Amino acid sequence: MASIGETIRTSQIWKSIFRHPMPLDRRNRIVVMLTNFFLHLHPVSIKKQGIALSFTWCMGGVTFFLFLVETVTGVLLMFYYRPTLEWAYNDILALRDVTSLGILRELHRWAAHAMVITTWLHMYRVFLTGSYKPPREFNWVIGVILLLLTLLLSFTGYLLPWDQLAIWAITVGSNMARATPILGYEGPGQQLLTIGGIDMITDASDARFGLLGARFVGEETLNRFYVLHCIAIPLAAALLLAIHFWRVRKDGGISGPL
Amino acid sequence: MHSNGLFLQDVSGFLGVYYTSIALMNGVAAVLLWRNSQQKGGFLWSVIWAITACVMLVLASFALSGVAEMVPALPAVVRDIVNKLSGPVIYTVGTMVMLTVLFVFREFFVKPMVAWTGLNISLIVMGLSMADENFASIVMKADNVPIVGLVFMLAFFTWLATSQAVVNDRRIAQGLPPTEKLHDEKVLVWPDLVYTELICMIAVSAFLLLWAIYLRAPLEEPASSVKTPNPSKAPWYFLGLQEMLVYFDPWYAGVVLPSLVIFGLMAIPYLDFNKKGNGYYSISERKFSYIVFQFGFLELWITLIILGTFLRGPNWNFFGPFEYWSPYKVAVLNNVDLPQMFWVGLLDQPLPKSPAGSSGLMQAGYILLRESPGLILLGSYLVLLPPLLAVTVFRSFYSKMGLIRYLVMSNLMLLMLSLPLKMILRWTVNLKYLVSIPEFGLNF
Ligand code: HEM
């Protein structure tokens, strides 16, 4: 057996994929961190305190893992789901009753809830260890935007099953936009935007309309939320995550007492 | 409507597993303590958890018997009393008092045996409550299950953080560095971190798979824009905001406050000028920022979400934890605006009203006059209070922060406090709006 493993690990194919030998000794454990694409996110060595579970709770890592789970299960769900009034609900129904591997939707939904929770817990830990203090101020700001994106991802996804739960939760949530000061048609000061006696802010031009693409939660909204949920917000989040991780390194690694 | 036999038979299997898990948990604790029973009190506690485990096994067998009368439950009297007593005021004040007590006596509550006792008590109360149909139907609603998880996770991690902070604070008081400092030797990321991450990933995957297998994602009837469900609720993470709608109009509760939350969070690193407490758990070195954050996060965000999810039913009425969500429950609302209280109630004269046919400017003047009590109050709150605080309680803050940073901080804090203040005004004097200018869509 050992020799088969040995043969594989010394073959040309293996060596062309992995740019480093097995990380069995100290030298190669360092080399692996520097030459592997995925691992080079990490430093080579790290303070023991910075990887203690009791310190970081691994919450940022778990949140990122959940983001990856959402990406994979989300792509699989997109194979089955069509964002139209005719099909949306039926496709979800079929996912439950017909499709094999029938827990795809469950995985996606529960991981989404979990991601909201772990993001909060991660923020909680960063606050409680005072890790937002210099030089990490800006990474905290990026974190807050990531938190907002996480909530928006969850919110836009909530509509897609197109059942009662979905449209009414989104209706209640987006009704707020109607009351946006100045820009919502029921908001305070919307009278201010009147040009030549013509009211610029109506229920067909206000902030809520911009969000929903219609006067109420309808097919336009479904399309809009689908695009936001599957493309726009994930891309924005991926970019910010990259910056977030890069900054963790550049700001001197996981925080610790000086 | 109280628990009926059929429902109890349904949950008995779940409760059996539930109590068995608590028994196992305590059994493990007992064994671990037994092993190091030379530790002070180790033996005694080991016996206590062993007994708890046995009691839990008995409860489990009662539950598993499937006989409705045998399933352990809170007595109906107790449930009625809890329902009668509970309301938004008791709930909010109660959680506030509880968090304060936990904070003040944290040295006591973080002791492992005390925390373990607390965990046991909350798990048992939870189990007994689950035998109530009304309670179970809300807690077990698929989308609400994560919130139960959130509560237990928050409790656990708050305990974990606080117990490290307590140790560190003690060390700092003795002039020693925080414990994190003791472990600042470097280790290689492969294998130490990479393997931890791998194990975390496997654990999370296993947990997710089990969750997905045992709990179906909710799917209700197809969407219908004419059938409005009652209550209509936003997704759970926004229910704190929805709860704020009880006290404020949507423009403030739904737009301004959330924006301020986001802005305020982003501002934290630039407002907190305290250089201590960077990179380790500590409370005593940063008491002010700690208390402000915890008040905002635990009290104004998390407890409001719990309230909005579990205790708000049809028509957004408040329901006790064991109360049936009747859509016919009526709550008497006799809230009054401040101008009404001031002009009519206090001065015994009608509200100022512009004479018919007066110019726009004149009308605006009358509106300002009518609303002057609220405007003056609000104005002094936001404009006069910050400088006043700057020369009194926040004197040292002001001198360290400079004008702009100080003003941003004080106004953010005052706006955050506007929520609890409005709650108190509502509960005590039934205040609806401080300022109400419907002509302009502006109510506050
Ligand atoms: C999508 C959400 C997020 C992901 C995937 C993520 C991921 C991570 C990871 C993997 C780390 C490394 C340390 C650790 O695991 O604790 C980290 C650190 C950090 N995160 Fe996040 N994060 C997210 C959101 C946030 C939020 C909401 C905040 C704060 C508001 C934040 C602020 C920070 C800061 C300041 C650090 C540096 C901490 C230190 O050096 O101790 N992040 N993040």
Side-chain angles (χ1 to χ4, degrees):
Chain A
M1 282 307 275
S3 71
I4 297 179
E6 192 57 34
T7 319
I8 293 176
R9 278 195 300 274
T10 49
S11 70
Q12 187 183 1
I13 297 179
W14 178 277
K15 285 206 287 195
S16 72
I17 299 174
F18 298 101
R19 302 173 58 233
H20 44 76
M22 283 299 275
L24 296 175
D25 51 33
R26 187 177 161 86
R27 184 180 172 278
N28 282 323
R29 285 176 171 175
I30 293 171
V31 170
V32 69
M33 298 309 297
L34 295 172
T35 59
N36 183 297
F37 175 78
F38 294 102
L39 293 177
H40 95 281
L41 266 178
H42 290 310
V44 170
S45 69
I46 193 167
K47 277 193 210 139
K48 200 166 175 188
Q49 163 271 133
I51 58 170
L53 269 182
S54 59
F55 186 75
T56 65
W57 314 344
C58 203
M59 265 312 151
V62 169
T63 310
F64 182 52
F65 179 64
L66 289 170
F67 181 78
L68 296 180
V69 170
E70 288 302 90
T71 311
V72 174
T73 52
V75 167
L76 292 175
L77 281 171
M78 284 174 79
F79 291 157
Y80 294 96
Y81 173 86
R82 286 159 286 185
T84 62
L85 292 197
E86 195 184 356
W87 287 109
Y89 183 79
N90 286 327
D91 286 344
I92 298 287
L93 210 59
L95 264 168
R96 184 181 71 189
D97 298 338
V98 185
T99 320
S100 52
L101 223 72
I103 59 165
L104 207 49
R105 198 183 146 226
E106 276 72 17
L107 280 176
H108 194 73
R109 194 178 187 94
W110 302 146
H113 283 328
M115 188 177 159
V116 171
I117 294 175
T118 57
T119 311
W120 291 357
L121 289 174
H122 171 58
M123 180 183 82
Y124 196 41
R125 160 337 247 174
V126 172
F127 181 85
L128 292 176
T129 53
S131 304
Y132 58 84
K133 300 191 176 197
R136 298 183 180 79
E137 307 102 304
F138 191 64
N139 216 14
W140 167 275
V141 175
I142 294 174
V144 176
I145 304 176
L146 278 170
L147 169 69
L148 187 66
L149 291 180
T150 308
L151 292 177
L152 287 178
L153 270 174
S154 195
F155 185 68
T156 47
Y158 216 85
L159 181 66
L160 303 183
W162 204 250
D163 62 345
Q164 281 288 74
L165 199 61
I167 70 156
W168 288 101
I170 303 306
T171 303
V172 171
S174 61
N175 272 346
M176 302 297 145
R178 200 159 60 184
T180 313
I182 302 179
L183 295 179
Y185 94 105
E186 284 178 359
Q190 57 94 4
Q191 301 89 333
L192 293 177
L193 281 187
T194 306
I195 300 177
I198 300 171
D199 198 357
M200 301 311 284
I201 302 293
T202 66
D203 64 346
S205 69
D206 71 343
R208 182 167 185 264
F209 190 92
L211 186 66
L212 299 185
R215 285 192 179 81
F216 49 86
V217 178
E219 179 144 40
E220 297 86 349
T221 318
L222 185 56
N223 187 52
R224 207 161 270 211
F225 275 39
Y226 178 74
V227 176
L228 284 173
H229 183 77
C230 301
I231 298 169
I233 307 178
L235 281 182
L239 178 68
L240 282 169
L241 280 174
I243 305 177
H244 194 59
F245 299 155
W246 188 74
R247 283 295 301 237
V248 172
R249 293 282 307 272
K250 294 291 157 185
D251 293 340
I254 303 294
S255 61
L258 292 173
Chain B
M1 197 170 90
H2 269 307
S3 327
N4 60 40
L6 232 75
F7 158 76
L8 282 175
Q9 281 169 18
D10 277 352
V11 285
S12 65
F14 168 79
L15 284 177
V17 176
Y18 180 83
Y19 287 119
T20 312
S21 326
I22 307 181
L24 268 176
M25 195 181 95
N26 279 296
V28 173
V31 171
L32 288 180
L33 278 170
W34 184 269
R35 285 232 186 120
N36 12 344
S37 55
Q38 58 274 41
Q39 222 177 307
K40 198 175 122 250
F43 175 74
L44 181 66
W45 282 111
S46 166
V47 173
I48 292 179
W49 303 133
I51 294 174
T52 314
C54 297
V55 174
M56 289 302 116
L57 280 181
V58 174
L59 288 188
S61 54
F62 278 158
L64 283 175
S65 70
V67 182
E69 291 76 33
M70 302 272 278
V71 177
L74 288 174
V77 207
V78 176
R79 282 181 264 174
D80 277 341
I81 295 177
V82 171
N83 283 343
K84 292 254 163 54
L85 281 181
S86 48
V89 183
I90 288 275
Y91 174 80
T92 314
V93 176
T95 47
M96 196 59 232
V97 170
M98 189 186 80
L99 289 175
T100 312
V101 169
L102 286 173
F103 172 70
V104 173
F105 299 104
R106 57 185 180 278
E107 300 237 348
F108 172 72
F109 285 109
V110 296
K111 290 184 179 156
M113 290 307 113
V114 178
W116 190 256
T117 312
L119 175 65
N120 267 311
I121 292 176
S122 51
L123 285 176
I124 293 169
V125 170
M126 181 84 190
L128 294 177
S129 306
M130 290 296 265
D132 179 274
E133 187 167 9
N134 298 321
F135 184 89
S137 67
I138 294 157
V139 171
M140 295 233 234
K141 218 168 151 204
D143 267 348
N144 291 347
V145 170
I147 312 175
V148 181
L150 169 68
V151 172
F152 279 96
M153 301 245 290
L154 260 179
F156 171 74
F157 283 113
T158 307
W159 169 78
L160 185 64
T162 314
S163 50
Q164 295 178 76
V166 163
V167 173
N168 279 345
D169 287 346
R170 231 179 265 147
R171 291 177 58 92
I172 291 165
Q174 295 165 357
L176 298 168
T179 40
E180 282 88 347
K181 183 83 185 163
L182 303 180
H183 306 290
D184 66 354
E185 74 272 22
K186 291 233 172 179
V187 293
L188 286 184
V189 166
W190 186 297
D192 285 42
L193 177 57
V194 184
Y195 276 63
T196 312
E197 287 175 340
L198 183 71
I199 294 167
C200 273
M201 282 197 292
I202 294 172
V204 173
S205 310
F207 175 76
L208 267 180
L209 276 172
L210 285 178
W211 188 2
I213 290 169
Y214 285 107
L215 192 66
R216 295 247 67 159
L219 187 64
E220 298 188 352
E221 288 164 39
S224 151
S225 51
V226 286
K227 263 202 315 204
T228 315
N230 187 9
S232 278
K233 291 191 176 186
W236 62 267
Y237 35 82
F238 289 150
L239 287 188
L241 298 174
Q242 203 173 345
E243 174 63 19
M244 292 176 198
L245 284 175
V246 174
Y247 304 97
F248 289 112
D249 267 17
W251 72 270
Y252 190 67
V255 184
V256 175
L257 273 179
S259 314
L260 283 175
V261 171
I262 298 292
F263 176 76
L265 280 175
M266 287 183 181
I268 288 177
Y270 306 98
L271 298 177
D272 185 356
F273 56 84
N274 178 0
K275 293 207 172 55
K276 287 188 202 151
N278 183 348
Y280 50 91
Y281 291 97
S282 165
I283 294 175
S284 64
E285 288 202 310
R286 40 199 293 257
K287 233 179 198 149
F288 181 75
S289 58
Y290 181 87
I291 291 175
V292 174
F293 184 87
Q294 293 293 44
F295 179 70
F297 183 56
L298 295 182
E299 182 64 28
L300 294 185
W301 187 251
I302 301 295
T303 61
L304 284 191
I305 288 179
I306 299 170
L307 171 62
T309 312
F310 298 124
L311 304 173
R312 289 288 185 183
N315 308 321
W316 207 254
N317 276 326
F318 187 96
F319 289 84
F322 310 113
E323 197 174 340
Y324 172 64
W325 279 16
S326 158
Y328 305 111
K329 179 169 179 167
V330 251
V332 199
L333 288 180
N334 45 5
N335 299 328
V336 194
D337 294 339
L338 183 67
Q340 187 77 20
M341 286 183 195
F342 180 77
W343 297 105
V344 183
L346 197 67
L347 301 184
D348 208 11
Q349 61 182 54
L351 285 178
K353 195 164 174 250
S354 54
S358 48
S359 68
L361 210 63
M362 186 84 150
Q363 287 178 7
Y366 268 98
I367 292 177
L368 281 182
L369 176 66
R370 185 188 73 208
E371 300 302 332
S372 53
L375 289 173
I376 290 173
L377 266 181
L378 264 183
S380 7
Y381 182 69
L382 288 177
V383 181
L384 290 186
L385 215 47
L388 212 67
L389 291 172
V391 292
T392 52
V393 272
F394 284 156
R395 203 189 193 107
S396 66
F397 277 38
Y398 176 68
S399 64
K400 281 188 195 127
M401 296 175 82
L403 182 67
I404 297 190
R405 278 207 297 172
Y406 171 76
L407 282 182
V408 172
M409 182 210 63
S410 54
N411 277 292
L412 278 173
M413 285 205 3
L414 288 174
L415 289 168
M416 170 164 129
L417 283 178
S418 68
L419 175 64
L421 287 178
K422 185 84 189 268
M423 289 177 162
I424 293 171
L425 287 174
R426 176 68 56 81
W427 301 332
T428 49
V429 297
N430 284 325
L431 177 83
K432 189 164 180 212
Y433 295 123
L434 273 170
V435 175
S436 160
I437 314 181
E439 296 87 343
F440 213 54
L442 187 75
N443 296 314
F444 187 82

